[in-house]
Amino acid sequence: MAILLVLFSLLITTPTAPVRVAAASSSAVFFTPQDNFLIGCGSGKAATHSDGRIFITDQNSGKYFSSHGRDIMVSVPSANVPSPIYLSARIFIEEATFTFPMTRPGWHWIRLHFFPLTNNEFDLQNAKFTVTTDTLVLLREFSIKDNNNTNGWFFNEFLVNVTTERLSIKFSPVKGGPAFINAIEVVSAPDILITDTGSTLFPVGQFNGLSTQSYQTMYRLNVGGPELTSQNDTLGRTWALDGQYQAHKELGKNVLVAPTVIKYPEGGSPLIAPQSVYASAVEMGSANVASPNFNVTWNLDIDLAYQYLIRLHFCDIISKSLNDLYFNVYINGKTAISGIDLSTLTGGLATAFYKDFVVNSSMVSSPLSIQIGPWTQGTGAINALLNGLEVLKMNNSVGSLDGEFSVDGKSANGVNKGTVAAVGFAMMFGAFVGLGAMAVKWQKRPQDWEEEE
Ligand SMILES: *[C@@H]1O[C@H](CO)[C@@H](O)[C@H](O)[C@H]1NC(C)=O
Ligand SMILES: *[C@@H]1O[C@H](CO)[C@@H](O)[C@H](O)[C@H]1NC(C)=O
Ligand SMILES: *[C@@H]1O[C@H](CO)[C@@H](O)[C@H](O)[C@H]1NC(C)=O
Ligand SMILES: *[C@@H]1O[C@H](CO)[C@@H](O)[C@H](O)[C@H]1NC(C)=O
Ligand SMILES: *[C@@H]1O[C@H](CO)[C@@H](O)[C@H](O)[C@H]1NC(C)=O
Ligand SMILES: *[C@@H]1O[C@H](CO)[C@@H](O)[C@H](O)[C@H]1NC(C)=O
């Protein structure tokens, strides 16, 4: 029976990455990014981020910068922010571009840090602007005020596969308003971070081409564990708490083990997610009562105009023996993984595993719902767990992560932005011509028109 179960779980998880036999490699892995641009804006002094990385001054980053506009720097001596990189900003009233030379093609993080500093000249809270690369829209007519952010400071994170010798980041103020930026990161990320293939759901299949998409991080959650900041992740990622997204918090129970016990299978790496992500999980809350039968659910709001890469992180930190935990995973009510047995997939307990799914509006609705629940056909423990969850927005068909228009104004719906204006103008013109024709007709009406009535 056990063998059958193993075979079964192998079969049903075939779209997964190849099964890797465990070879307990572990712990601290360092990654040295070949490209590593950390730009602090608006300050005469280099700023040391909370994770120890040093952001260079405008003066030292001047060779990457170009703008015809006035150079405006603002700073405050202190504020309720987690890092000095938020204490100063550079303001643009004309287009401004940073152009970075790339030494290695491949994945790069682009992180844009914002904190609308109070100053006498500009109301940064009401700033609205567009940020693009040469080929990709990162933020379109982005309004700081509408960002619903409670802290005041925030950053947007993008992951792009750069294949050109230069990467430009252009800030374009929306007419009349200022654009601004507090700090910019353009940093190499390892190749293994995203491979080319993911799984699709309904129908179950393979999605190829992940390596040429661009991504924006929407959610990255350390499920059941503490918040992790860029200090806790070699790649400078942050992992937020998951509690607020759990539909019924009482159904889930946090479990924690020492991060040092977490192993990575051969081919796996702490660069995918650090040990602290796998060392915590949410399991079924009352798993020990007689025949518990429920799911633990996370709900995440998404914009259905885009596709998403959903990365689920698992690590069996609750079983006492191999092949004792089989569970189901659902995405928006449909089975994503049936009877997953982590010990078979990874060759051991406390061993990291992740799986990528690609979804779009034909498969999911908003909120995106991730559920874990027991696989009741088995003889093992009735339980389920989830350790980490990432949701990355993928660019649309015109290369935008924000809105339907491309960098050069083409629309995802096949209409050009210029065309829209032209069509509008043509219609208006048509209307005028029509009116004119009517007027002409009116004037040329037969003299006896009134009598004809
Ligand atoms: C901000 O919150 C409002 C109301 O809760 C919502 O309508 C809006 O879509 C949110 N904006 C963003 C950018 O999330
Ligand atoms: C980036 O994209 C190119 C094709 O445009 C591809 O050859 C390369 O493998 C990708 N890089 C990574 C790290 O996936
Ligand atoms: C994150 O890093 C900070 C600084 O090194 C450390 O104090 C904290 O304990 C770490 N948190 C976790 C959850 O590892
Ligand atoms: C868990 O959720 C799935 C999909 O929403 C549903 O089909 C299944 O019956 C649920 N399981 C339990 C035990 O409630
Ligand atoms: C959603 O993805 C599926 C499979 O990749 C694809 O066939 C379909 O055209 C996509 N639908 C939309 C609306 O993008
Ligand atoms: C995202 O952009 C890439 C090119 O950079 C393109 O190949 C891909 O088709 C785009 N994604 C979608 C969903 O259209």
Side-chain angles (χ1 to χ4, degrees):
M1 184 61 184
I3 287 171
L4 273 180
L5 287 178
V6 168
L7 280 177
F8 181 58
S9 70
L10 277 177
L11 280 175
I12 50 189
T13 49
T14 346
T16 329
V19 174
R20 287 152 180 157
V21 180
S25 67
S26 78
S27 65
V29 154
F30 297 98
F31 173 74
T32 309
Q34 288 87 343
D35 294 312
N36 192 23
F37 298 96
L38 305 174
I39 315 292
C41 300
S43 170
K45 235 172 54 212
T48 306
H49 196 23
S50 42
D51 55 22
R53 292 180 301 161
I54 294 167
F55 284 62
I56 63 171
T57 61
D58 302 287
Q59 198 177 3
N60 289 334
S61 63
K63 57 179 172 292
Y64 309 124
F65 183 74
S66 72
S67 172
H68 298 299
R70 192 152 64 91
D71 225 1
I72 309 157
M73 320 279 192
V74 290
S75 59
V76 292
S78 68
N80 187 16
V81 290
S83 164
I85 63 171
Y86 294 106
L87 294 176
S88 62
R90 195 162 187 172
I91 299 173
F92 315 118
I93 49 174
E94 304 276 347
E95 268 184 16
T97 307
F98 291 84
T99 303
F100 302 106
M102 300 281 101
T103 56
R104 185 178 189 276
W107 294 120
H108 287 72
W109 300 112
I110 299 175
R111 295 191 182 102
L112 305 175
H113 297 265
F114 299 105
F115 179 56
L117 293 169
T118 311
N119 66 94
N120 318 336
E121 204 181 347
F122 295 97
D123 178 7
L124 299 186
Q125 199 52 255
N126 279 306
K128 198 173 184 189
F129 50 92
T130 294
V131 184
T132 53
T133 71
D134 282 334
T135 53
L136 185 67
V137 177
L138 303 176
L139 300 170
R140 177 165 189 88
E141 300 192 354
F142 174 72
S143 162
I144 293 290
K145 175 173 79 222
D146 295 343
N147 191 50
N148 284 354
N149 137 281
T150 48
N151 302 318
W153 63 274
F154 62 95
F155 65 90
N156 286 311
E157 181 185 86
F158 304 91
L159 185 63
V160 299
N161 176 355
V162 182
T163 52
T164 47
E165 281 174 27
R166 287 169 196 289
L167 174 69
S168 294
I169 299 178
K170 182 161 86 182
F171 292 82
S172 312
V174 170
K175 217 170 168 40
F180 74 97
I181 183 74
N182 298 73
I184 301 175
E185 297 179 41
V186 173
V187 181
S188 295
D191 292 350
I192 56 157
L193 196 55
I194 293 185
T195 55
D196 199 50
T197 310
S199 301
T200 58
L201 297 167
F202 0 115
V204 173
Q206 228 181 44
F207 183 96
N208 298 313
L210 288 177
S211 64
T212 53
Q213 310 283 321
S214 301
Y215 301 88
Q216 180 178 4
T217 309
M218 305 314 288
Y219 300 95
R220 183 181 290 120
L221 307 178
N222 183 20
V223 178
E227 184 181 6
L228 303 176
T229 69
S230 58
Q231 316 173 45
N232 307 110
D233 184 312
T234 314
L235 300 187
R237 291 169 292 195
T238 56
W239 300 75
L241 304 174
D242 71 302
Q244 73 178 106
Y245 305 106
Q246 275 183 55
H248 297 283
K249 230 177 160 291
E250 70 282 3
L251 294 181
K253 191 175 114 200
N254 293 0
V255 273
L256 274 169
V257 298
T260 48
V261 308
I262 304 301
K263 301 177 290 265
Y264 291 88
E266 195 182 311
S269 163
L271 297 175
I272 299 292
Q275 286 175 310
S276 326
V277 169
Y278 295 108
S280 68
V282 164
E283 63 172 337
M284 287 174 62
S286 42
N288 295 325
V289 309
S291 60
N293 198 19
F294 58 85
N295 292 318
V296 185
T297 305
W298 290 262
N299 287 328
L300 306 164
D301 288 325
I302 54 169
D303 177 348
L304 291 171
Y306 301 87
Q307 305 197 80
Y308 293 85
L309 174 63
I310 302 173
R311 177 166 288 183
L312 304 175
H313 296 272
F314 299 104
C315 184
D316 185 352
I317 53 173
I318 55 181
S319 295
K320 300 281 175 275
S321 59
L322 296 176
N323 309 117
D324 189 42
L325 175 68
Y326 298 83
F327 60 96
N328 294 340
V329 182
Y330 308 92
I331 298 181
N332 279 76
K334 312 250 180 37
T335 305
I337 315 177
S338 172
I340 187 173
D341 170 17
L342 296 170
S343 53
T344 299
L345 289 168
T346 64
L349 299 175
T351 308
F353 178 79
Y354 76 92
K355 191 158 162 68
D356 286 341
F357 292 96
V358 178
V359 299
N360 64 20
S361 61
S362 72
M363 312 165 195
V364 296
S365 51
S366 185
L368 175 69
S369 141
I370 310 291
Q371 292 177 292
I372 53 169
W375 188 61
T376 42
Q377 282 115 296
T379 50
I382 301 287
N383 205 347
L385 94 175
L386 179 66
N387 303 66
L389 173 57
E390 293 177 85
V391 177
L392 308 180
K393 187 200 267 182
M394 295 162 64
N395 64 271
N396 65 14
S397 60
V398 293
S400 174
L401 284 159
D402 190 9
E404 62 172 306
F405 294 109
S406 69
V407 169
D408 51 13
K410 278 203 196 67
S411 161
N413 302 327
V415 198
N416 197 286
K417 208 180 168 211
T419 316
V420 174
V423 167
F425 182 72
M427 282 169 69
M428 221 167 76
F429 185 70
F432 277 125
V433 169
L435 280 173
M438 267 166 74
V440 169
K441 243 177 153 178
W442 181 254
Q443 273 173 5
K444 282 176 135 182
R445 71 190 190 280
Q447 294 304 313
D448 56 350
W449 183 75
E450 264 162 32
E451 285 99 286
E452 265 181 12
E453 284 291 290

